[in-house]
Amino acid sequence: MMPESQTENPDGYCIIKERMTQALRYFKQSTEQHVLAQVWAPVKIGDRCVLTTSGQPFVLDPHSNGLHQYRMISLTYTFSVDAESDEALGLPARVFRQKLPEWTPNVQYYSSREYSRLNHALNYNVRGTLALPVFEPSGQSCVGVLELITTSQKISYAPEMDKICKALEAVNLRSSAIFDHSNTQVLKEGHQNALAEILEILTMTCETYKLPLAQTWVPCRHGGGMGKSSTSSDGICMSTTDVAFYVIDAHMWGFREASTEHHLLKGQGVAGRAFESRNSCFCSDITQFCKAEYPLVHYARMFGLTSCVSFCLQSIHTGKDDYIYIIEFFLPTSITDSRDQETLLKSLLATMKQLFQSLKLASEKEFEEEERSMEIIVDSRLKL
């Protein structure tokens, strides 16, 4: 159901607009960063509903000419919320329609189709961007999108998210609590033994094969926003665990931090594909995903990660239920030859087989069969 636009209910939207103006003032008082924060609101143009920032509240660092110019450029844009694909919507409209936040360390990792202001962003040195849906107090209707724009690359947006949410709550508006880990519920308790065993496996394999990073994704329920949540149709998504991960390359701590701020749906990225199929999955170049297919793809490009493999595991410690663990290994960037990658994958499976105690492959296949049936994501299947 589409919320009323400001042209359909001008009195009601004037109240919302006043609240957003005050919320931006509160936010500006709470941050010392050089930012542009602007609101996108729905308006009717004929039979179409579009988002515009023209005439909407904004705050701007007075010392940044680039951000001032980008604000002027943004005034000339509208974004239809009626586009056929999420990719073609543009950032504000994607956030508005999906009712979920979207952020990137650097907008320059978007394609021009995903981010139509890309050329202007390049001209005015726009980098990190966070866009949040804004909801009425009831939390049912999205009344606009708040876009936060900076001229520096950003890895973590948790502090900004917290400040914006508090500013909105102060004026009786709301946004998505995507970083509120109190809403994240691990579906099965008493799995610490399994995670300890997984940590041992990650440690041994990373040290043996000099893998830069490995981490574990577990199922969770997360109400990622008011209205539509950041979950799949069955209410399940994945989050990383703070217990079972291993970092060899210190440069990859930024990617690890970004992973903790994201959830993956079934089918998203290599880990999401393994989660969906309960089978092993490998991709030689994860940077070719678009953001909708892999929310962490911009961070993968930023940190130079390319090849990735995921395995879906179960443990006797969690009983006879369907609780699973997805372990994700990133291969060394120096290994680019497909035959060398295949050899490494065989070695990884052989090492895991030796280390398994309570764990088993969720597919219930033997290791040799798992190797033969591993899903391989090739570039031609990815949307550029």
Side-chain angles (χ1 to χ4, degrees):
M1 180 179 177
M2 187 64 65
E4 290 182 319
S5 69
Q6 56 182 303
T7 52
E8 292 175 315
N9 184 8
D11 293 338
Y13 195 79
C14 279
I15 296 173
I16 297 293
K17 187 174 178 180
E18 289 175 7
R19 290 179 181 176
M20 286 190 177
T21 301
Q22 188 60 49
L24 287 182
R25 289 197 189 106
Y26 289 149
F27 171 71
K28 187 176 182 181
Q29 292 168 5
S30 69
T31 184
E32 297 179 354
Q33 295 191 43
H34 303 303
V35 299
L36 163 63
Q38 57 188 8
V39 172
W40 295 84
V43 297
K44 278 281 191 178
I45 299 179
D47 294 331
R48 297 170 60 236
C49 181
V50 302
L51 296 181
T52 180
T53 190
S54 179
Q56 300 305 314
F58 73 97
V59 292
L60 175 65
D61 174 18
H63 304 296
S64 175
N65 183 59
L67 289 178
H68 173 73
Q69 294 297 325
Y70 197 70
R71 166 65 185 170
M72 301 305 293
I73 289 295
S74 296
L75 291 172
T76 67
Y77 276 78
T78 59
F79 293 95
S80 172
V81 299
D82 305 319
E84 293 184 5
S85 72
D86 289 341
E87 187 181 4
L89 285 170
L91 176 60
R94 277 197 302 275
V95 170
F96 184 82
R97 192 159 82 173
Q98 296 173 357
K99 298 184 179 180
L100 292 173
E102 183 172 323
W103 63 97
T104 177
N106 191 334
V107 296
Q108 297 171 25
Y109 292 123
Y110 280 116
S111 67
S112 57
R113 178 176 170 82
E114 293 172 303
Y115 194 85
S116 57
R117 292 170 288 168
L118 182 59
N119 286 336
H120 300 297
L122 293 169
N123 289 338
Y124 298 116
N125 197 36
V126 167
R127 300 292 180 85
T129 295
L130 165 68
L132 296 166
V134 179
F135 300 95
E136 293 177 334
S138 65
Q140 297 304 310
S141 179
C142 183
V143 295
V145 172
L146 199 161
E147 184 181 37
L148 184 68
I149 299 163
T150 73
T151 54
S152 59
Q153 285 198 145
K154 288 188 66 64
I155 295 173
S156 172
Y157 283 95
E160 287 74 19
M161 170 70 86
D162 183 60
K163 290 174 183 177
I164 292 172
C165 286
K166 286 180 178 177
L168 289 171
E169 289 168 4
V171 297
N172 203 25
L173 293 172
R174 305 180 73 177
S175 189
S176 302
I178 200 73
F179 299 143
D180 183 359
H181 293 291
S182 65
N183 287 339
T184 303
Q185 301 173 348
V186 176
L187 303 181
K188 177 71 178 180
E189 295 182 1
H191 63 295
Q192 295 303 314
N193 290 336
L195 289 175
E197 185 178 336
I198 289 172
L199 176 58
E200 182 74 13
I201 291 170
L202 301 188
T203 302
M204 292 293 293
T205 50
C206 284
E207 289 290 349
T208 301
Y209 302 107
K210 305 305 177 189
L211 308 182
L213 168 67
Q215 57 188 359
T216 307
W217 296 84
V218 294
C220 66
R221 293 187 184 275
H222 192 288
M226 313 305 142
K228 181 180 177 181
S229 68
S230 61
T231 57
S232 55
S233 58
D234 58 5
I236 306 297
C237 62
M238 293 192 302
S239 62
T240 59
T241 170
D242 294 334
V243 178
F245 69 93
Y246 198 75
V247 180
I248 278 188
D249 185 346
H251 176 63
M252 297 303 166
W253 275 107
F255 184 86
R256 168 62 193 166
E257 182 180 6
S259 297
T260 65
E261 294 186 352
H262 284 76
H263 292 81
L264 293 181
L265 307 183
K266 289 181 178 178
Q268 287 188 324
V270 179
R273 293 280 274 267
F275 182 37
E276 183 176 50
S277 67
R278 301 171 72 92
N279 197 32
S280 303
C281 184
F282 172 73
C283 180
S284 62
D285 189 2
I286 57 175
T287 66
Q288 296 304 304
F289 284 113
C290 71
K291 203 168 191 305
E293 294 169 320
Y294 182 40
L296 283 157
V297 65
H298 291 183
Y299 292 94
R301 294 171 189 168
M302 181 178 179
F303 290 97
L305 293 168
T306 51
S307 302
C308 178
V309 63
S310 289
F311 302 96
C312 186
L313 309 180
Q314 285 183 298
S315 170
I316 62 172
H317 291 304
T318 56
K320 296 182 179 180
D321 62 10
D322 289 331
Y323 194 87
I324 60 176
Y325 307 86
I326 305 295
I327 57 174
E328 181 179 47
F329 295 103
F330 293 92
L331 275 58
T333 55
S334 58
I335 301 179
T336 57
D337 183 79
S338 60
R339 289 169 295 183
D340 292 339
Q341 291 173 347
E342 183 179 349
T343 299
L344 179 54
L345 294 178
K346 290 180 179 179
S347 298
L348 282 175
L349 277 167
T351 300
M352 288 168 54
K353 182 178 182 180
Q354 293 175 347
L355 295 173
F356 273 13
Q357 297 176 27
S358 70
L359 294 167
K360 65 176 182 178
L361 296 168
S363 63
E364 298 189 349
K365 297 173 182 174
E366 296 297 327
F367 278 85
E368 293 75 12
E369 186 182 354
E370 184 81 6
E371 179 187 322
R372 292 192 297 270
S373 64
M374 180 180 293
E375 180 185 2
I376 308 295
I377 305 174
V378 295
D379 290 354
S380 62
R381 295 175 59 186
L382 306 178
K383 292 184 287 187
L384 297 175

